[in-house]
Amino acid sequence: MTTRAKAKKRAKPKARTAAKSKPKTVDDYLATLSADNRAALNKLRKNIVAAAPGAVECISYQIPAFRFQGRMLVWFGAWENHCALYPGTSIEPFRKELGRFDTGSKGTVRFQADDPLPATLVRKLVKARIAQNAARQQKKDG
């Protein structure tokens, strides 16, 4: 290894500058989106709240999320080519209902802003996640 390569290796990494500021609230996050993505995620947000009254909004992994009874419930966000809901492994029983949506990644449901998730399906996914969290808590409490 050359002296120059060694010096480069020892050098401290440069501080990364964020391209965008990190959102502090769900409204901050939504304000950065296009109108169609914002509308789709606001609709999703309302459906989640309807399915889990008392759920608390937060930012987790720099995207909007909800906590319910002290545990993480679901996450959601918008990306360049799609919007997504992240209810975790609770999607498995709903594979058939999720048929027209991309569920390629474990626990991820991708959809287009102009073809949002139906409210009834969101409700089922959120309720399943609540049940999953309750079962985990019960097992933990033993």
Side-chain angles (χ1 to χ4, degrees), residues 20 28-39 41 64 77-79 83:
K20 293 191 267 183
D28 289 347
Y29 179 90
L30 295 174
T32 66
L33 303 178
S34 65
D36 57 339
N37 283 347
R38 187 177 324 109
L41 291 187
W79 309 100
C83 295

Side-chain angles (χ1 to χ4, degrees), residues 35 48 70 87:
I48 293 167

Side-chain angles (χ1 to χ4, degrees), residues 71-82:
R71 297 189 70 128
M72 291 308 297
L73 184 60
V74 295
W75 296 257
F76 61 98
W79 309 100
E80 187 174 333
N81 298 315
H82 65 274

Side-chain angles (χ1 to χ4, degrees), residues 19-111:
K20 293 191 267 183
S21 63
K22 294 179 182 179
K24 297 202 185 318
T25 68
V26 174
D27 288 326
D28 289 347
Y29 179 90
L30 295 174
T32 66
L33 303 178
S34 65
D36 57 339
N37 283 347
R38 187 177 324 109
L41 291 187
N42 265 322
K43 182 178 178 183
L44 179 61
R45 180 186 192 186
K46 288 176 184 171
N47 290 332
I48 293 167
V49 170
V56 178
E57 290 183 335
C58 62
I59 296 291
S60 176
Y61 299 106
Q62 297 182 32
I63 61 172
F66 281 92
R67 285 184 170 278
F68 186 74
Q69 297 177 345
R71 297 189 70 128
M72 291 308 297
L73 184 60
V74 295
W75 296 257
F76 61 98
W79 309 100
E80 187 174 333
N81 298 315
H82 65 274
C83 295
L85 172 65
Y86 306 96
T89 57
S90 61
I91 69 170
E92 292 307 318
F94 306 101
R95 287 279 179 195
K96 192 172 185 177
E97 291 177 75
L98 290 164
R100 77 175 198 258
F101 301 103
D102 179 9
T103 57
S105 298
K106 185 177 178 181
T108 300
V109 181
R110 291 181 195 89
F111 59 94

